[in-house]
Amino acid sequence: MKPRPSFPANLNGAGVKPKPALGRPALQPAKGLPSHTTPTPRTPPVSMGLGLDSSAVRAQMVAKLAAQGVQDAFVLQAMGRVERHRFVESALAGQAYEDTSLPIGFEQTISKPNVVARMIELLRQGAQGQLGRILEIGTGCGYQAAVLSHVATEVYSIERLRGLHEKAKKNLLPFRLPNVHLIFGDGMLGFAKGAPYAGIISAAGGENVPQAWLDQLAIGGRLVAPTVTTSGHQALVVIHKTSQGLDRQVLEAVHFVPLKSGIV
Ligand code: SAH
């Protein structure tokens, strides 16, 4: 693991612009889309063996996300940069850019692109530039960690299933993302060594938001997590921590895999 950046958590990487991917030309707005929303990487076409050009298919996915209401240019750009098909089994690569969740093994799933984009947009609400340090609970295959790496200065991502932790390491290796730190552990305890966080995002839904997450969130930070609400159903919960206390919003119903304690 790389040394942790200095305290306190940087809530906004002030004035920081989205970075071009390693070894790639600067990003250009995609054709036919408003320039403020859709810078899209001009990568050489990547053959997916299914007659699909990965960068063009991703640009289509980004256009669809924008049409569905995702407005944050950082989020759209990040979604356009990460090759989702590299995180799923090759038999599923053809579905990688459809708005669908997909199995990643170990009875877990990678969330729909729309849900990933929506949650990161909520996490970034009010942020001007790049976010500071982020904690992700539930690394899974590593896809969302890769997306987060383009909108935050540091990403700490924790997974309780060793098999998936190892899989994510392997998946992320070719992306060379030095600001992503993968941790094998129980995310219900958060990851105190990286705290305080500008944002905490959970890819697994619990009965409650664990106290450790609230403690490890910086003042001014946001937490986005699927949580069971008083109605007994899972919904997206956003908590904004202010110097006055916690401001909690319950949003739309969602369906995430359960948040479990302990490591396996
Ligand atoms: N963000 C992931 C989605 C993974 S699904 C991706 O892009 O692929 C949710 C993940 O949360 C599962 O891998 C599950 O094992 C993990 N999880 C559930 N409870 C957890 C906990 N207490 N700590 C860490 N990970 C947990």
Side-chain angles (χ1 to χ4, degrees):
M1 199 170 73
K2 288 259 158 21
R4 191 160 48 79
S6 59
F7 290 90
N10 180 14
L11 292 178
N12 286 311
V16 181
K17 291 267 189 307
K19 294 172 288 184
L22 278 175
R24 289 186 183 156
L27 306 181
Q28 302 290 332
K31 257 195 201 155
L33 290 164
S35 59
H36 66 287
T37 54
T38 54
T40 300
R42 291 280 169 92
T43 45
V46 176
S47 167
M48 294 164 64
L50 295 165
L52 295 174
D53 168 341
S54 150
S55 65
V57 181
R58 261 195 323 283
Q60 276 171 22
M61 178 188 78
V62 168
K64 195 165 163 198
L65 291 172
Q68 287 168 331
V70 179
Q71 292 180 347
D72 186 329
F74 272 76
V75 176
L76 290 169
Q77 171 161 321
M79 295 296 293
R81 285 173 79 171
V82 180
E83 296 162 320
R84 193 169 184 257
H85 67 276
R86 294 191 189 274
F87 291 85
V88 294
E89 297 303 324
S90 50
L92 297 171
Q95 292 173 58
Y97 300 102
E98 290 171 16
D99 204 15
T100 178
S101 52
L102 292 170
I104 53 173
F106 304 87
E107 298 174 6
Q108 308 300 320
T109 52
I110 179 174
S111 308
K112 290 186 203 199
N114 181 265
V115 171
V116 172
R118 164 87 172 135
M119 287 179 75
I120 301 177
E121 188 167 61
L122 288 168
L123 193 71
R124 286 182 40 82
Q125 225 173 20
Q128 294 304 310
Q130 237 184 349
L131 282 173
R133 282 202 301 281
I134 298 294
L135 173 67
E136 178 192 38
I137 291 96
T139 313
C141 65
Y143 171 72
Q144 184 169 274
V147 177
L148 286 166
S149 78
H150 297 298
V151 305
T153 56
E154 300 291 327
V155 179
Y156 289 81
S157 182
I158 187 160
E159 173 57 56
R160 66 181 287 274
L161 301 178
R162 190 180 284 279
L164 273 177
H165 168 72
E166 295 299 334
K167 193 173 194 171
K169 264 204 246 173
K170 219 194 266 171
N171 285 343
L172 287 167
L173 207 61
F175 289 88
R176 286 189 263 147
L177 301 169
N179 64 338
V180 175
H181 313 285
L182 299 185
I183 302 133
F184 171 56
D186 181 358
M188 283 180 84
L189 309 173
F191 184 63
K193 286 187 192 160
Y197 297 101
I200 298 182
I201 183 165
S202 176
E207 296 294 318
N208 295 299
V209 172
Q211 185 60 40
W213 300 358
L214 301 174
D215 294 344
Q216 292 173 21
L217 192 61
I219 302 280
R222 272 173 211 280
L223 181 156
V224 182
T227 308
V228 176
T229 64
T230 43
S231 67
H233 299 289
Q234 220 183 44
L236 272 189
V237 169
V238 178
I239 295 176
H240 183 206
K241 186 167 175 176
T242 71
S243 49
Q244 275 80 51
L246 301 172
D247 174 16
R248 180 183 155 110
Q249 272 178 289
V250 177
L251 304 173
E252 67 267 25
V254 284
H255 188 67
F256 279 74
V257 295
L259 180 70
K260 293 186 175 173
S261 62
I263 49 173
V264 185

